[in-house]
Amino acid sequence: MPPDTVGVLVAGVGGQGVILASAIVADAARRSGRDVKQSEVHGMAQRGGVVTSHLRFGETVRSPLIELGGADVVLACEWNEAIRAAAYLRPGGTLITSALRIVPPRALADRRTGRVDYPDLFEHLDGLDLRACDAEAIARRAGHPKAGNTVLVGVLAGLVRFADDAWRAAIAANVPPKALDANLRAFDAGRALRFARPARGSRRRAAPAPVAAPPAPRIVIDAAWCKGADCSLCVRACPERCLGFDGGTAVVATRPDACTGCRLCEIFCPDFAIVIRSVAA
Amino acid sequence: MDVRAVLLSGNEAIAQGAREAGVGVAAGYPGTPSTEILEALVRSDAQRRVHVEWSTNEKVAIDVALGASLGGTRALVTMKHVGLNVAADTFMTAAYTGVRGGLVIVVADDPGMHSSQNEQDSRYYARFAGVPLLEPADSTEARDLTRLAFELSERFDTPVLLRTTTRISHARALVTCGPIAAVNVRGFVRDASKYVMLPAFARKRRAALLERLGTLERYADECGLHHVDRGSSRVGIVTSGIAYQYVRELVPDVTVLKLAFTHPLPVAAIRSFAGTVERLLVVEELEPYLEEQLRGLGLAVEGKAFFPRDGELTPERVREGLVQAGLLARAAPLSVQAPSVPVAVRPPVLCPGCPHVVSFMALRDLGAIVAGDIGCYTLAATPPLSAMDTCVAMGSSIGVACGIARSGGADRPVAAVIGDSTFLHAGIPGLIDAIANGTRITVVILDNRTTAMTGGQSHAGSGATIRGDQNAAIDLAALCRTLGATTVDVVDPYDVGATYRVLERSLGSPGVSVVIADRPCVEAPRKIRERPFEVIEDRCVACQLCLDLGCPSIGWSSERRDGRPLVTIDVATCSGCTVCAQLCPTEALVPIAVAAGSGHAS
C-alpha cells in the first residue's frame, strides 16, 4: 500500500453509529485536502450484528478496503468488536476503543452455569498501543449520552492531525444541529484524554478463579400421578423443551441433559407428578 | 455551481449522474445494495422535477421506466441483482422495443451475499438481452457512466444496463458534481411496429437488435471508455469494476487494461493489448465473465485459476491470487495482533421489540412446517427461534407452502410466513393460487407497514410515497377477503395469548386461512419506545424462558439462584413491547419504576 495512505477501521455493533463516526472522519479528511474512500456494508449486518466501516485517506486512494494487517488505527465502539477488529491493525498500530460491553444473546452460553463467552480485552491484547476509555460516561458528562463515538473521534484526532476547523466542520455537517454543542464538547473531551503506553504484559491479569459447577438437576416423574398429554402444562412451560410424551401416557424427560433446574415444571404441575432434584457434581 | 468535490457513495453518485442527465422518471424496489439511489434522488430534488417511486416490485418498476421512456423522458430503474430476475421478462423484450427517452437499468450485485440469498453475476444479463453494459470502478465513474448511459440509450435506441457491486454502491469517494439538467420530454409517438411485440413485429425488432449489437461492437472499441496503465510487458491484467482498484493498489507497476464498457467488449482493444504483453491475466469478481469471452477470442488467458469464483474480492484475496499467479512475492506473515481467544459471535438478530418474534414462537410451538420469505424475519430461522424451514426468493413462501402441502409428505400443518412488503411484491399470486386450487395452508402476513430489511422504505401498504406524501394504504385484510381466503384474522402480535389462539385455530382449519400480524416496525418509519421493563430480582426464578425470545435487550445479571444467573433488561434498548413480561411465569418483569416524585410508580 502507498505509505502515505492512512487506514482507519471503525468497528462496532449495528445501531451504534459506526457509519456516522466513520463519515465524520472521512469528511474531516476531505476538508483537509486528502483523497478519501470509505466503505461499509448495509442491510442485514446492521440488525444487531457486527458493523465495520473501512476508511482510507491520503494522496491517491484506490482500494476502499483496508487489507488485514494494514490498519493504522482501529476505532471500536464496543469491547468485543475491538478485539475482532484488532486483526486488521498493522504492527505498531493503535487500538482506540470504548469500554462499552454489548454482550450478544448468543454469548450467553450456558444457562445452568451462567457461562458467558465474551472475552476480556486486557488479557488478550497486551503490548498494543491501546487507548481505551469509558466513552459513554465521558459523553454523558459532555451532555449527550449518545455522543460516545464522538469522544473516540476526539481520541483519534490526537493521532491524525487534521486542522481543528476541519474536525469541527465535519462534526457540524454530520450530527443533528441540536446535538452539535454536546458533540463538540465530547470531541474536545476525547482529544484531551491522555493514555499511558503500557509496557508489554503490564495489563495481564490473573485468570479468574474457577467457579464451582452448580449441582446438576435431575427430573423425577411419578408416572402414576401424571394426567398425560391432555394436560401438557409442564411440556409447554419448560424453557429448554426437556419434556415430552414420546407416545406414552405419562410425561418423560426427552432431553434430560438440557434441564437447567429452573423448576417451572414442578411449579406448574397441578398433580405434584414432577419434581427436580439436585445431584452434586 | 459548487465545484468542490464532495464525498458521495456510488449510489449517491448514480443519482447525481441521473440528475445531471435530466432524468424525468425514476422507479425501483428497495434491495441491498441498491436502495439509496432513489433515496438520494429524492433528497436532491426538493423541487419535485423528477417523478420518483417505490414500485410494487422490480417488474413493475421497469415497466414504469420503459413507459416513461416511450413517453419521451429519460427514465432510471434501480434494483438489486435478484430484482433483475423479477424484471427480466420486460428487460429481455425492452431490448427489442428500444426506447425514446434514455432508459437506464441499474443493477447492484452483492458478491459475498452480505444481505442476499445468492450472488449471481448480473453481467450475463447484458449478453443475454443484447444490451450495452457499463461497470463503474468508483463514485466518479458511477456518476460519469450514468450520465453517459442515458446518451448511449438514446443514440443506439436501447436500454442500457449499469452494473455496480457492494464496494461501488456502498463506498464513498470524492466526486466533483456538475450542474443538474432540466427534464426534457419529447412526447409519446405511436409506433406499433416498434412498441407492440406481436410476433410479426418482434421478428423485425429481433433483427434490429442484432444489427444494433454489431454497431455497438464497433462503438465499444471507439468510445475510449477503456484505458491502459502501462507497466512492464511481462504480464497484462484485464480487469473492470472494483477489481481494478485492488489490482492498481497491489501491483502498481503491472500493465493493466481497465474496461468500463463490458458488453459488447472492445475486442480490437483487447486483441491489441494482448499483443503487447507476454502473459494475459483477468482479475474479476464472481464469474469468469471476461475470461471466457477472451478465451473465446482465441487468447491464452488465465484468471479463475488464481482468483475465487465465489465470495467478494478483498485486497487479501486479490493479493493471494497475485501471489499464486507469480506476480507478487508472498509477504512474510504479518505479526498481526490477533486475539488469542475466540471473540464472541455476533450474528445479526431481530431488534428489541420486533413484532415478528411472537408469530414465529407460536408457529414453532404449534408444530407447523414454516415456509419463510425474504426480510428481517428470515433471521427467525436462527436460534433461539429456529422457526423457519424454507426461504428461497421474494414471495416464494406461499407457493412453496402449497407445494409442501400437496406433496403428501407434510405430517404437520403448513404455514407460509411473509412480510407485508414481500406479500405485495410477489406474494399475492401465490395466495390466489392457494385459493383457486383449494390448498390447505395458513398464510401469516407479518404486517409492520414498512420495508424494514432495507431500512424502512414505504410500500403500497404504508400509506405514504417515497416522498412522504400520504396515500390510501392497501388494506391487506380486505384484499385477502376479496380474493376469497376462507378465514382472515387480524391479530396484534404483542398479545401473546391471542396470537397463539388465532394461529392454533387457523392451522387447524380447512381451506386457506390468512392471519395478519398487525404491528408497526419498532425502528421505522419512526422509532417506537414505550416505557422499558426491569426485573424484580426477588421474583425471578432464573428459568430464562424470556431468553427464548432472543431479545438483545435481555441478558444476565451477576445475581444467581441455584447457580443459574438471573436475567436483566437493558433499559437503554428495551422498547417496552411487554412480550417478555407476558411470558414470565413469576411476574418478575415489570415496567420500570418511574423516578420518585413523578407521581406514580409501578
Side-chain angles (χ1 to χ4, degrees):
Chain A
M1 304 223 172
D4 73 309
T5 300
V6 175
V8 178
L9 184 74
V10 187
V13 179
Q16 275 199 295
V18 166
I19 293 170
L20 175 64
S22 181
I24 289 172
V25 184
D27 197 19
R30 173 187 73 90
R31 290 168 192 273
S32 305
R34 310 292 207 283
D35 189 18
V36 188
K37 279 190 178 159
Q38 179 198 349
S39 178
E40 57 263 337
V41 166
H42 304 206
M44 189 164 266
Q46 290 183 298
R47 297 286 172 279
V50 181
V51 176
T52 58
S53 176
H54 291 239
L55 178 62
R56 305 184 71 226
F57 47 87
E59 193 60 38
T60 304
V61 180
R62 300 257 183 212
S63 164
L65 291 181
I66 301 166
E67 202 171 350
L68 271 169
D72 298 276
V73 180
V74 164
L75 190 158
C77 309
E78 199 267 351
W79 212 228
N80 180 61
E81 297 318 314
I83 301 181
R84 193 194 312 276
Y88 273 91
L89 277 178
R90 66 169 166 76
T94 301
L95 177 60
I96 298 171
T97 180
S98 166
L100 182 69
R101 295 161 61 98
I102 301 177
V103 178
R106 289 276 281 277
L108 309 179
D110 186 332
R111 293 182 180 185
R112 196 161 69 79
T113 63
R115 192 185 90 237
V116 178
D117 289 342
Y118 187 98
D120 183 326
L121 185 62
F122 291 110
E123 277 190 50
H124 305 292
L125 291 174
D126 53 10
L128 263 182
D129 178 12
L130 174 66
R131 306 189 179 199
C133 63
D134 189 346
E136 277 55 43
I138 296 166
R140 219 173 294 121
R141 285 198 294 277
H144 200 302
K146 290 189 173 165
N149 294 352
T150 314
V151 174
L152 302 175
V153 171
V155 176
L156 178 70
L159 291 163
V160 177
R161 307 259 176 207
F162 298 145
D164 190 57
D165 286 354
W167 284 114
R168 287 177 189 281
I171 293 167
N174 285 282
V175 305
K178 66 175 196 273
L180 177 57
D181 287 345
N183 271 280
L184 289 175
R185 281 194 298 275
F187 173 77
D188 287 334
R191 195 159 53 170
L193 290 173
R194 291 291 169 265
F195 301 87
R197 194 170 179 125
R200 177 164 283 271
S202 67
R203 285 178 189 264
R204 183 171 291 279
R205 298 197 306 210
V211 180
R218 189 160 59 90
I219 306 167
V220 182
I221 296 163
D222 188 333
W225 286 16
C226 177
K227 285 202 294 286
D230 287 346
C231 169
S232 290
L233 278 176
C234 57
V235 177
R236 291 196 178 209
C238 178
E240 309 306 323
R241 296 180 168 70
C242 299
L243 304 168
F245 285 97
D246 245 357
T249 55
V251 72
V252 291
T254 49
R255 301 171 63 227
D257 293 344
C259 176
T260 66
C262 77
R263 296 177 191 270
L264 280 192
C265 52
E266 185 179 320
I267 294 165
F268 275 87
C269 179
D271 302 302
F272 306 102
I274 187 164
V275 291
I276 302 298
R277 297 253 161 76
S278 290
V279 182
Chain B
M1 187 184 82
D2 185 3
V3 294
R4 283 197 331 157
V6 291
L7 273 168
L8 293 185
S9 70
N11 282 347
E12 291 166 330
I14 289 166
Q16 174 67 24
R19 293 303 312 280
E20 291 180 19
V23 69
V25 170
Y29 184 81
T32 309
S34 72
T35 311
E36 299 81 7
I37 301 170
L38 293 192
E39 293 176 329
L41 249 179
V42 165
R43 277 201 306 279
S44 80
D45 183 32
Q47 303 82 13
R48 296 176 176 240
R49 301 217 167 95
V50 186
H51 170 76
V52 188
E53 67 168 53
W54 286 129
S55 304
T56 318
N57 62 34
E58 294 85 355
K59 166 73 164 59
V60 176
I62 195 172
D63 288 335
V64 168
L66 175 62
S69 160
L70 300 187
T73 194
R74 289 187 164 182
L76 177 77
V77 53
T78 69
M79 61 197 67
K80 68 184 295 175
H81 56 303
V82 284
L84 189 49
N85 301 337
V86 178
D89 202 356
T90 298
F91 175 70
M92 296 298 294
T93 304
Y96 286 39
T97 64
V99 305
R100 258 180 72 72
L103 174 60
V104 177
I105 297 127
V106 178
V107 61
D109 286 5
D110 182 12
M113 295 173 273
H114 296 290
S115 199
S116 302
Q117 67 271 38
N118 77 22
E119 59 175 2
Q120 69 193 34
D121 189 330
S122 298
R123 294 179 297 178
Y124 288 105
Y125 265 112
R127 290 191 79 192
F128 194 15
V131 303
L133 172 65
L134 298 171
E135 283 188 79
D138 62 21
S139 293
T140 294
E141 284 193 16
R143 189 273 313 270
D144 292 347
L145 293 179
T146 303
R147 217 168 44 188
L148 177 72
F150 283 102
E151 290 163 23
L152 295 183
S153 174
E154 289 172 6
R155 176 169 164 192
F156 296 102
D157 188 15
T158 176
V160 174
L161 190 63
L162 182 93
R163 183 251 193 178
T164 73
T165 56
T166 300
R167 298 299 172 186
I168 303 298
S169 279
H170 287 171
R172 285 181 194 78
L174 295 173
V175 179
T176 305
C177 295
I180 285 167
V183 176
N184 176 27
V185 184
R186 296 159 64 200
F188 181 77
V189 175
R190 281 188 90 172
D191 186 352
S193 67
K194 189 162 181 285
Y195 303 135
V196 179
M197 286 301 97
L198 278 168
F201 296 152
R203 285 181 203 114
K204 294 197 178 72
R205 295 303 303 169
R206 167 81 175 145
L209 188 162
L210 295 175
E211 189 188 332
R212 178 208 300 150
L213 265 180
T215 315
L216 283 166
E217 278 164 20
R218 288 187 294 279
Y219 175 81
D221 262 313
E222 293 157 5
C223 67
L225 285 174
H226 48 271
H227 74 261
V228 176
D229 298 318
R230 189 61 67 183
S232 109
S233 62
R234 207 166 54 80
V235 182
I237 292 177
V238 180
T239 186
S240 66
I242 192 65
Y244 169 71
Q245 307 291 1
Y246 301 140
V247 166
R248 286 287 291 151
E249 178 116 14
L250 292 164
V251 281
D253 302 327
V254 167
T255 297
V256 176
L257 172 62
K258 188 237 178 229
L259 304 175
F261 195 102
T262 45
H263 185 260
L265 288 177
V267 171
I270 291 168
R271 282 193 192 284
S272 97
F273 177 79
T276 65
V277 293
E278 293 162 32
R279 183 181 171 203
L280 199 59
L281 193 66
V282 171
V283 183
E284 60 189 320
E285 208 167 33
L286 294 180
E287 302 293 341
Y289 169 86
L290 297 173
E291 183 183 349
E292 285 177 347
Q293 290 184 77
L294 265 55
R295 200 164 286 131
L297 295 174
L299 299 170
V301 59
E302 300 162 289
K304 290 297 164 189
F306 308 118
F307 301 93
R309 189 168 167 175
D310 63 326
E312 186 175 43
L313 284 186
T314 58
E316 301 84 46
R317 299 182 93 191
V318 175
R319 178 186 293 279
E320 178 61 28
L322 292 168
V323 169
Q324 295 287 336
L327 270 67
L328 267 180
R330 186 174 295 283
L334 290 168
S335 56
V336 173
Q337 300 167 36
S340 55
V341 290
V343 291
V345 294
R346 197 188 296 279
V349 291
L350 293 171
C351 302
C354 176
H356 301 330
V357 171
V358 174
S359 305
F360 282 105
M361 211 168 58
L363 286 168
R364 182 196 58 199
D365 290 350
L366 294 167
I369 296 175
V370 176
D373 224 301
I374 308 275
C376 306
Y377 52 93
T378 316
L379 292 169
T382 61
L385 289 172
S386 304
M388 190 179 288
D389 298 304
T390 70
C391 172
V392 183
M394 287 286 286
S396 289
S397 58
I398 303 179
V400 168
C402 288
I404 293 172
R406 291 294 187 187
S407 68
D411 53 348
R412 294 173 281 147
V414 182
V417 183
I418 185 166
D420 48 343
S421 191
T422 307
F423 177 71
L424 292 165
H425 174 286
I428 296 170
L431 179 59
I432 292 171
D433 186 88
I435 292 166
N437 293 297
T439 303
R440 178 175 172 167
I441 59 166
T442 298
V443 176
V444 182
I445 304 174
L446 305 174
D447 184 7
N448 64 3
R449 306 287 166 78
T450 189
T451 317
M453 179 80 265
T454 44
Q457 290 71 29
S458 64
H459 59 69
S462 305
T465 68
I466 189 171
R467 289 190 188 270
D469 300 337
Q470 300 297 302
N471 60 13
I474 302 283
D475 181 338
L476 296 182
L479 174 68
C480 295
R481 286 194 189 99
T482 302
L483 292 177
T486 316
T487 60
V488 179
D489 288 284
V490 180
V491 67
D492 177 0
Y494 277 0
D495 185 335
V496 177
T499 306
Y500 270 73
R501 281 193 296 277
V502 165
L503 283 172
E504 187 163 25
R505 192 176 65 227
S506 298
L507 290 170
S509 69
V512 180
S513 48
V514 174
V515 177
I516 299 174
D518 178 21
R519 239 318 142 168
C521 176
V522 287
E523 290 295 321
R526 62 179 191 90
K527 273 188 192 295
I528 296 171
R529 292 291 181 271
E530 302 295 337
R531 199 205 295 189
F533 277 62
E534 65 181 340
V535 180
I536 300 175
E537 293 198 336
D538 290 348
R539 293 188 190 167
C540 178
V541 296
C543 74
Q544 316 207 0
L545 188 61
C546 50
L547 281 183
D548 283 353
L549 292 168
C551 175
S553 295
I554 305 178
W556 285 340
S557 83
S558 52
E559 298 297 317
R560 306 269 165 149
R561 174 174 292 216
D562 300 337
R564 300 187 306 277
L566 304 188
V567 297
T568 181
I569 294 175
D570 177 19
V571 293
T573 55
C574 173
S575 77
C577 75
T578 79
V579 168
C580 59
Q582 293 178 58
L583 292 188
C584 181
T586 59
E587 298 183 1
L589 310 178
V590 296
I592 197 163
V594 175
S598 68
H600 58 280
S602 64

